[in-house]
Structures are given as structure tokens and as C-alpha cells.
Amino acid sequence: MLFRILLSGSLALLLVSCQHSRIDPSSNLVVKQVQIPDDMPWYSQFAVHSYIEYQPTPDQSWSRIEIIYETSGIRHYEITDKELHSPSRWGESVRIVAQKKENGPKLANEIASFARSYPDANRYVAWPGPNSNTFAEKLLRQTRASAHLDHNAVGKDYGWYLGRTAGGTGLEVQSPYLGLAAGMTEGIELHFIGLTAGVGIWPPAIKLPFISRLPPRASLGEKASLPE
């Protein structure tokens, strides 16, 4: 009986993990993540970098917005169709966190307004934050571009916060060292000194610090030999 339960659970997780790995043509917002490159400090090797790509109108180019490193500031720039669909970045596989259709012009205005007022644009601390994931998380919270970032997006829970989760389906309470989030897409998460552990409800997932979520998010492809 126990074996059957474990087998059924494993099959369910496997089926959920077989998500569509291509960008939906009807989407105009994609939230992505990529593993931190191997040449970065050892303590960031398990973490991921989160960023947002969007298209204001069908006849306009896609744009990408992110903070990459200490001196990059906010980078907000147009990308090519090849970059949008590229399966890799920095030699690592790109994974889709979320994709959806939004009101493009309103979304673009909200993102631009958030970027202008973001207080930590020129401040970057790999751990515990603020960093690239802090920027992405706050953007998702304060605009219609809601999505739940990976549990290894270190820095996403930096600072004090009480309110709606970035995924928009739950509530979160956060202090600099301890926090809790609960919701449909978030599941139940415990945040401790920048690390996250928990379980996902929909889709089902197991989240443990330092290792990828089980099952993994949909990937746009395998590792490339050269970074872009």
C-alpha cells in the first residue's frame, strides 16, 4: 500500500513536470529564471536569477527588464525574437516561471513607473539582498505582472513585507530573517535568513534550499556550450 502511494505521487509529480516548454504565442508577458553562472562566487551557485520580458503591443518589440549585478543598475532594453526564444543564457538553461496575456500598454506603463521609483536600483547585495531577485519580486508585487518566483531566487523575500504574494493567490508576512507565505500557487513556504523551504499545492512541488524544486519548472532547452 505504501509503495502504491509513493508510486502514484511520483507519477503525479512527473506528469505535472511535463509542462509546455515553449512560449505561448498569445502571451505578452514571460517571467524567466536562469541558474547563476559557474564563475560567480561559490555561495551563489545554488541560486537563480529572475527577470521579466514583455511586449507592449503586437507590433512592438519585446523588452527585458532586470538587475544583473552590482554595477549594472536597472537594465531595460528591447530584445530580438531569437533572444526571446533562446533556450539558454550564460551557458545555462532558461526556465519559464510564468507566462500570460495582459493589457500590454498598461503593463508597460506600470513597469516603467516602477523602474523609475525603485529605491535600490544602485544597491546590490548578493545575500540577503537587495539584488536581482528583490527587484523582480517587488516588480511582480506592484504591477499586474504577477508570478511566483522560484524558491531559490535568493533575495526575493528581502526586507519587511505584509500583503499579497507576488503570485497573487496568497498572503505573505516577511521580516529580514523570518517569513511565511501561503497560497494556491505558492503552497506553504517558510523563509529563513534568505532561504526557502516548503511544499507546492498547484502545481505540486517539493521545495528545499540549495536544490531545484521537484519537479523542475518547464525549460526552454538544454544547456548551451557558450553564453549569450
Side-chain angles (χ1 to χ4, degrees):
M1 179 63 70
L2 179 60
F3 175 76
R4 284 185 176 182
I5 294 174
L6 292 174
L7 179 60
S8 299
S10 299
L11 288 174
L13 287 174
L14 180 60
L15 288 172
V16 172
S17 69
C18 297
Q19 304 171 54
H20 204 288
S21 61
R22 296 179 186 274
I23 293 176
D24 187 339
S26 66
S27 298
N28 62 356
L29 167 70
V30 182
V31 182
K32 296 179 180 178
Q33 70 179 48
V34 64
Q35 199 73 24
I36 300 296
D38 293 338
D39 59 355
M40 297 297 285
W42 65 269
Y43 52 79
S44 63
Q45 293 302 298
F46 69 90
V48 298
H49 166 71
S50 309
Y51 55 104
I52 292 94
E53 295 171 347
Y54 66 97
Q55 185 182 36
T57 62
D59 59 340
Q60 288 183 280
S61 297
W62 281 74
S63 292
R64 177 183 293 166
I65 186 166
E66 62 186 343
I67 292 178
I68 302 178
Y69 47 81
E70 290 88 341
T71 59
S72 73
I74 297 173
R75 297 191 63 193
H76 196 183
Y77 54 100
E78 291 186 352
I79 58 173
T80 64
D81 192 62
K82 179 180 178 181
E83 290 173 312
L84 173 67
H85 295 280
S86 177
S88 67
R89 191 180 181 197
W90 305 332
E92 301 287 342
S93 293
V94 172
R95 295 188 181 277
I96 299 172
V97 177
Q99 55 179 326
K100 60 180 69 176
K101 176 71 173 179
E102 291 288 352
N103 184 312
K106 288 185 178 180
L107 174 64
N109 288 335
E110 289 178 1
I111 290 177
S113 176
F114 171 82
R116 287 193 298 268
S117 62
Y118 183 64
D120 294 315
N122 297 308
R123 183 176 174 227
Y124 189 103
V125 181
W127 180 89
N131 57 26
S132 62
N133 294 316
T134 310
F135 173 76
E137 176 83 357
K138 290 188 175 182
L139 187 154
L140 294 171
R141 286 177 185 164
Q142 297 180 32
T143 70
R144 64 190 63 227
S146 59
H148 181 55
L149 296 184
D150 189 85
H151 71 289
N152 280 327
V154 175
K156 67 182 178 65
D157 305 309
Y158 173 77
W160 296 89
Y161 180 71
L162 174 62
R164 181 181 67 92
T165 57
T169 63
L171 296 174
E172 179 178 355
V173 56
Q174 187 65 44
S175 72
Y177 300 105
L178 187 66
L180 180 69
M184 182 58 69
T185 59
E186 297 81 7
I188 301 174
E189 291 186 348
L190 176 65
H191 309 147
F192 178 65
I193 59 171
L195 304 178
T196 296
V199 293
I201 298 175
W202 188 256
I206 298 172
K207 310 171 190 180
L208 297 173
F210 309 116
I211 63 175
S212 299
R213 74 195 293 273
L214 300 171
R217 294 185 186 276
S219 175
L220 282 173
E222 300 299 322
K223 275 191 178 183
S225 57
L226 294 174
E228 294 191 356

